[in-house]
Amino acid sequence: MSALRVVRGAFVALSVVMVPLPAWCADGPLRFPGPGEGYLITKPQPDSSQAAPSGYEGRTDTSTLLAVGNTPATTGKTFRGRFTLGNEIKICPQGDGTTEGKGVFSVSLDYTDKEATGTSSLHIEMKADGKYTGQVGDDAWIINPVKADIDYTYVVTGSIRDSSGALVTPAGSNIAQHITIPIIVPREMAVPGLGAFSGGDPAQARYAEAAGAGQSLAYWAGVYYSVAQLKWRDRGRCVNAILNPPSHTVRLVPGGKTTVDAEIKTKGGESAKARFFNARVSSSLKSVAVNDGSVTPAAGSSDVGAPLKFTFTAPTQKVDFTAFNVSATSRAGIAEANWVAGLGTDWNGQISFTITNSGDQGGDELQSWSASSATRVTVDVKDGKGTATGFTEVHDTGRQRQRALRGGAITLINTQSHTVDGSFEDSSPATVDVVIVNPATGTYGIRVNYAFKEGKAHRQSCIRTECGEKDEPMVIGPSLPGISGTMDTPNRLSGSKTETRTGTGSRGTGTVKTDLTWTLAREGTTQ
């Protein structure tokens, strides 16, 4: 059964949960009419199904219905229904294994009755907002269950205007329930399971409807979690295996040894606890494989700030190249790496640039905001030629509210809000030029040029109840800053620069941190 069919089926649910409201409808309970009941029923807009933004798994399905009375008994009566079911599950977990998502399941009905004695209108909306939190283990599988927090609301508002123009606003209703539902996410593409829900107040109205709406929303969240889980388990999709010193920067004599630190980082540069396994050597002698050489340990664990240390021993024979491969699982995904010793005649190594924007958040009763972003660019250099890999993600939300009189009581209503979410990854050939400024002092400069494609972020903006969505350009930037320094040796260039700026963001609560590191070496380096 598709999600869109669930959205359509919500029409039936809405029809049966309406309460009798004599002030608006003297004929009994209000319900959306069906075929043959004196109404022309159309779809003012075609059904829509929109995929989740880049970096997320899921989709949002929307359907609308319009019923206009066309018999003497129904003339002047109009029903408008709107149904939405949507889920967005972040494909890549955070470095600590936290995996998050959100969803919405809403059904609304607007009723208008125009008669000679006056006009009455009624708005009814059932909405379930879901927030999901799960934990991924060191093996890159979800540790069940995923927690779904469901905020359910049922709102009734309306007005009556008589023929003289006088307006009466009868007391409406605003019912809220909060329930929690465990989601059991399978390890393969199978039907998710739901545990027993908890929370809510059985003494209040709409308790059963809140449970039903929440379970429908949580079920589809479980489906998309299954898809996202398989994607973050793609090797290299969400994390990279970082080996230090970088590949191609060490040339070993036969039988020589070196230590290589290994850790896992997310695409945004966040370290993650990991398990490395199946470390194995590979080497060649005139294109003929030999099994001499070793890497230890064959498996082990790394943690944040504590990389796993491999000891690599080169073959005792002279070889064209010698290397080792290793695989890893982590709380943020799966990766594989290949570390090669042996250099060409030009510069080899890696340049890494990371910029993070955090802490720009806050709020009070009338407003709230949160903005963060991360960009990471890695340039791998071999024989003087570079390949740049870039990743960027942005999350920006804001909401403004105002006080309003509703049903004789002061309440807060949303006046405007926005949400921007997106992530994008690309790779590009890069030119890496090393300029020896002064051979006598060993000063140098490095110029790096590359060109990434343009990605897209998804923006949703609302002014009161009117909302719109669009994709907007997203670029991996800014470019690498200038690199300069003094040589370690004639054949090795390395260094790092870190800058932290506080007081950034729209209200001066943010922090922007940039980290730039580089290690390049050319033939002649030994270790």
Side-chain angles (χ1 to χ4, degrees), residues 11 14 56 59 68 127 136 156 173 180 189 198 209 229 240 271 281 316 345 373 380 426 457 473 478:
F11 162 70
L14 183 66
Y56 291 81
R59 57 191 322 102
V68 179
K127 187 177 184 182
V136 179
V156 180
S173 65
T180 300
M189 280 301 300
S198 60
E209 289 91 335
Q229 178 173 237
N240 294 321
S271 295
V281 299
T316 56
T345 58
S373 63
D380 290 301
D426 192 26

Side-chain angles (χ1 to χ4, degrees), residues 71-136:
T71 67
T74 60
T75 298
K77 293 179 172 61
T78 302
F79 292 81
R80 298 177 184 272
R82 180 178 176 87
F83 320 100
T84 301
L85 175 62
N87 273 298
E88 296 179 2
I89 309 301
K90 198 171 189 305
I91 292 176
C92 293
Q94 298 177 20
D96 62 359
T98 302
T99 172
E100 299 177 335
K102 62 180 180 179
V104 62
F105 178 32
S106 67
V107 186
S108 66
L109 174 64
D110 287 283
Y111 168 71
T112 303
D113 187 2
K114 295 182 179 180
E115 299 180 356
T117 57
T119 300
S120 61
S121 63
L122 177 67
H123 173 77
I124 304 176
E125 182 174 7
M126 178 277 290
K127 187 177 184 182
D129 284 307
K131 182 179 180 181
Y132 317 123
T133 306
Q135 178 65 46
V136 179

